[in-house]
Every structure is written in C-alpha cells, then in structure tokens.
Amino acid sequence: MRVLLTGGAGFIGGHIAEALARRGHEVVVFDALLESAHGRGARAGREGLVVADVRDRGAVADALRGVDAVCHQAAMVGLGKDFADAPEYVGCNDLGTAVLLAEMAGAGVGGLVLAGSMVVYGEGRYDCPRHGQVRPGPRAVADLAAGRFEPRCPDCGAELTPGLVAESAPTDPRNVYAATKLAQEHLAASWARATGGRAVALRYHNVYGPGMPRDTPYAGVASFFRSSLARDEAPQVFEDGGQRRDFVHVRDVAAANAVALEAVLERAAGSFAAYNTGSGDPHTIGEMAAALAAAHGGPAPEITGGYRLGDVRHVTADSRRLREELGWRPEVGFAEGMKEFAGAAALRAVPAGG
C-alpha cells in the first residue's frame, strides 16, 4: 500500500513512517518542517521528503498521485502560549485538513486515518454517589487559585469518582486545540459521507517517547519534565500532581496507525469511526514525574500548585474498542517506557524564538 503521511517528519509521524516501512508499505512523507516543531535548519539533509504545507493545494495534489490511503498527522499540538495562537491552530489543523480532504476527493483517494485526541472529551467521566454519572462544567478560576482542583457534582456538590470515557461519550472541547481536533473529526466524517470514503480517527492519549520536541510551548508535559531533568532541575508539577492521564508510548501509537491503515479500506463506504488510543494503565501527572525523575536519577519533582486555564483535571478513556475491533495491543508498559524515555538522547531542542 502507498500511504501519504502528513506530518511524517514529526515526533509521532516519524515513528509511524518506520512502522509502515517495516510492514512493507511505501510511505510518502509530507511535512512543512515548521521551526516551532523542528527547530532551525530542519530542512538540511532531508532527502525523499515532500517539504510543503498541507494548506498548499497544489503540493497536496501532487503528493496524492498513486496513493491508496492517507495518514494525517500534521497539526499544531498542545495548549500553546495563549488565545492569540487561535488563528494559527485553526489554520494549521482545520483549514489544513479541509484542503487535504478536498484534494483527496478530487484524486479519488478513499482511505483516511486521522490523528485525533482525547482532549475532545473535555473532563473525563465522573460518578456521583447520589446522581450517578455526571459531567461537571469548567473549573472556576477561584477554585483553582484556592487549590480546589477536583471537580464537584454539578447537582449536589459532592466529591466525584473519575472513570473511563468511552467513544460514545459527549464531546466537550475546552480549549482552542481541543476545538480544532474535534473540527478535524467532523470534517473527516463529512468527507466520508460526501465521497463514499472511509475514515478512522485515533483519539490519542498522552503520547511520549524518544524524539519528543522540547523547549517549545507546544510540547507535552512529559517533554517538559524530561527537559528539566536534563538541566538537573526538578520537574515543576502543576496543581497537586493528582491529575489522571493515560501515558501511551509512541511506538504503540505508531502500531495503532499501521493496523488502522491496513483495515480502513475494508470498512463500509461513507463510514467514520473514532477509537480511543491509550495504554489502558492510567497514572497521575505526579506519578509520571516521579517515575521519570527516579529513572533519570533525580532531582525529585516539585508540586507547585500552579494551574493553566483550559486544562482538565482527569481524562482517561477506555480503549477496548480499538483492541477488540482492530486487534491492536499496547506493548510498552509504563515503568519500561518511562525508564527508556528518561535516558533518551533524541529529544530535539527548538531554539528560543523559533
């Protein structure tokens, strides 16, 4: 199978390209090599790579020639700096996806695997002892500033028990990035219905592993902690460190993309499906920071009590559907993966102002 892989030179994309090549597929790597993600000089020594923006219709049309399916990873990620980033997020993520899908429709390419995200759910699932399953609203600034981080029942104010979110849960994006990721899914579903195409979105949990970009406001929390340890500084853990997440290794995410691509063209015409993609082994942010610090040899994390508006308290999803329907299984355990990541030398630094 010939696969167009957008964002294929990035952190996750690079691992997907390797996974596909190992399985005998031909990969066309397409990447804008933005300095904000790759650093200065990223174009040097790059051969066999289509260097272009996914919003460039002509470049996308050329890259789609002879392609059987598309794996769409190109996107701006993370919360960014502030709301001033919103136009760039919408342009990269949503306009870029619309251009790609329009050109796929014109070229008759009928299979798509999209990099989705668990952030589309907002807060995860919560159970109230009195009212059952509830969906708390956004956390108030006054509560966060006072160190009251746990959401309460919106009906009675009781303490809640966090649980796993299924794909059938309502979506509730709570920051610009989350809104753009949900819009990508809606665009993919519209494309599938209009063209008879077949689309799958993999809603990634917190992906980590070798090759994560660092020293950029768009990096993930694991990368921030790893960079601090590399400078012999204590990782700075926001809130009280009790935020629950599912840390999934990048090689497992790459494998999920490979099996999804191999299955997507066999799905019903006009179909769209979303799959949670996580390890199935949730941990708190504090536990992750402690595991990295221990594997690195210190210093120990510091709990700061700080917070970021737009962050959710707990979000961990049930990934059984991906396991049962596509046969994917994560192979890298939490302790093993954090130990490897703590010693990884392949973190790419993005220079200040880049």
Side-chain angles (χ1 to χ4, degrees):
M1 180 167 57
R2 183 176 170 89
V3 178
L4 175 62
L5 174 59
T6 70
F11 164 48
I12 297 175
H15 285 273
I16 294 172
E18 293 175 1
L20 290 173
R22 284 195 301 269
R23 297 167 81 104
H25 301 296
E26 182 183 358
V27 183
V28 179
V29 176
F30 186 108
D31 201 296
L33 296 181
L34 299 176
E35 287 187 357
S36 60
H38 297 271
R40 297 190 183 98
R43 296 173 183 240
R46 298 274 189 170
E47 297 181 3
L49 167 67
V50 179
V51 181
D53 194 301
V54 75
R55 291 166 288 188
D56 183 335
R57 298 192 70 151
V60 172
D62 289 343
L64 283 169
R65 292 196 180 101
V67 162
D68 300 299
V70 173
C71 185
H72 184 31
Q73 305 293 313
M76 281 186 68
V77 300
L79 286 183
K81 299 174 184 176
D82 51 41
F83 201 84
D85 280 338
E88 193 168 4
Y89 271 101
V90 172
C92 287
N93 297 357
D94 299 339
L95 176 58
T97 299
V99 168
L100 173 65
L101 293 171
E103 294 305 319
M104 289 175 64
V109 178
L112 172 72
V113 174
L114 170 69
S117 175
M118 53 81 191
V119 296
V120 300
Y121 297 118
E123 287 286 353
R125 171 180 172 166
Y126 290 88
D127 292 300
C128 171
R130 182 177 175 185
H131 295 98
Q133 188 172 333
V134 296
R135 293 185 61 80
R139 296 181 292 171
V141 173
D143 287 335
L144 294 171
R148 296 187 293 269
F149 303 120
E150 292 288 346
R152 295 278 180 153
C153 176
D155 297 317
C156 67
E159 293 184 4
L160 300 174
T161 301
L164 300 180
V165 183
E167 288 90 349
S168 59
T171 53
D172 184 18
R174 297 200 175 177
N175 54 59
V176 170
Y177 171 63
T180 65
K181 296 308 288 183
L182 183 57
Q184 284 184 305
E185 290 193 11
H186 290 324
L187 287 166
S190 296
W191 164 83
R193 287 192 296 270
T195 67
R198 300 151 172 89
V200 165
L202 299 178
R203 291 175 175 169
Y204 301 159
H205 278 263
N206 291 65
V207 186
Y208 74 98
M212 287 188 82
R214 64 178 176 89
D215 301 334
T216 162
Y218 309 99
V221 64
S223 178
F224 288 133
F225 292 167
R226 176 64 178 78
S227 294
S228 295
L229 291 165
R231 297 190 300 267
D232 200 31
E233 298 173 359
Q236 303 294 294
V237 180
F238 279 9
E239 302 186 17
D240 59 2
Q243 310 94 302
R244 284 166 51 89
R245 299 290 188 270
D246 184 325
F247 299 97
V248 59
H249 197 279
V250 66
R251 288 197 297 272
D252 287 331
V253 169
N257 276 272
V259 298
L261 280 163
E262 291 168 352
V264 69
L265 293 176
E266 304 302 318
R267 304 181 73 88
S271 63
F272 171 83
Y275 292 94
N276 295 328
T277 308
S279 71
D281 183 25
H283 290 269
T284 68
I285 298 287
E287 289 170 343
M288 185 270 286
L292 271 182
H296 187 270
E302 294 179 359
I303 306 298
T304 69
Y307 60 89
R308 296 189 305 179
L309 292 178
D311 274 346
V312 297
R313 179 62 175 174
H314 305 296
V315 57
T316 54
D318 187 343
S319 300
R320 283 182 297 176
R321 185 180 178 193
L322 180 58
R323 292 158 170 74
E324 293 172 355
E325 294 190 12
L326 298 186
W328 170 79
R329 296 288 186 278
E331 296 182 355
V332 183
F334 178 77
E336 172 194 355
M338 289 299 164
K339 183 176 181 180
E340 177 199 30
F341 182 50
L347 290 168
R348 296 189 305 277
V350 177

